[in-house]
Amino acid sequence: MTDEAMSPLRRRMIEDMTIRTLSPKTQQGYIRTIKNSAAFLCRSPDKASFEDVRRFQLHVAQSGVGTGALNATVAALRFFFRVTLKRSAIRLVNKSPLNAGSAHPIKPANLPDRVRKTRSTNLAHTPPATKSP
């Protein structure tokens, strides 16, 4: 895309990301997320309401993407609204039972009880490390 065809909003977002020294891949991901939200909403993302953002988050979550992609989407939306648009009034919330209302979904990392008990038993019976002479 040439500089002439770039919207002022997109240019401002890229400038904001450059000022904060975000990596090129992060910038590409953020731009892609905002572009996808505009396509989903069928209008400019700067006109989005809280409910519009919430519907987009739900759409992304229901598409079957992983936790990492959901986190990246929330980070991009947060950057766009809070930094580029200076609209901190939009709250990005994912109310799944796993994260109890935090903005980012939490990937459960619990070990099965059988493995947890085996590891703790093994650690309890491990002799202390000795120093080499």
Side-chain angles (χ1 to χ4, degrees), residues 5-6 20 26-27 33 40 55 86 99 102 106-107 115 133:
M6 191 180 302
R20 286 160 180 79
T26 300
Q27 291 186 23
T33 297
F40 176 79
R55 283 188 312 115
K86 296 177 179 43
N99 62 2
S102 72
I106 298 170
K107 185 175 184 178
V115 174

Side-chain angles (χ1 to χ4, degrees), residues 34-46:
I34 301 306
K35 181 179 168 186
N36 290 344
S37 72
F40 176 79
L41 298 172
C42 299
R43 64 176 177 275
S44 178
D46 63 331

Side-chain angles (χ1 to χ4, degrees), residues 7-18:
S7 75
L9 187 60
R10 183 181 183 135
R11 182 184 317 275
R12 180 175 175 98
M13 185 173 176
I14 291 171
E15 288 170 355
D16 288 338
M17 291 187 290
T18 302

Side-chain angles (χ1 to χ4, degrees), residues 30-46 48 52-53 56-57 59-60 73 77 80-81:
Y30 281 17
I31 293 292
R32 184 181 327 109
T33 297
I34 301 306
K35 181 179 168 186
N36 290 344
S37 72
F40 176 79
L41 298 172
C42 299
R43 64 176 177 275
S44 178
D46 63 331
D52 293 332
V53 174
F56 178 67
Q57 283 183 278
H59 164 74
V60 172
T73 298
L77 291 168
F80 178 71
F81 284 102

Side-chain angles (χ1 to χ4, degrees), residues 68-116:
L70 287 173
N71 285 340
T73 298
V74 170
L77 291 168
R78 178 177 290 133
F79 183 89
F80 178 71
F81 284 102
R82 291 187 180 170
V83 176
T84 303
L85 295 181
K86 296 177 179 43
R87 282 176 52 189
S88 58
I90 293 237
R91 300 277 186 238
L92 301 170
V93 177
N94 182 350
K95 292 196 178 205
S96 78
L98 294 176
N99 62 2
S102 72
H104 288 283
I106 298 170
K107 185 175 184 178
N110 296 336
L111 294 172
D113 286 338
R114 180 176 45 90
V115 174
R116 194 174 329 152

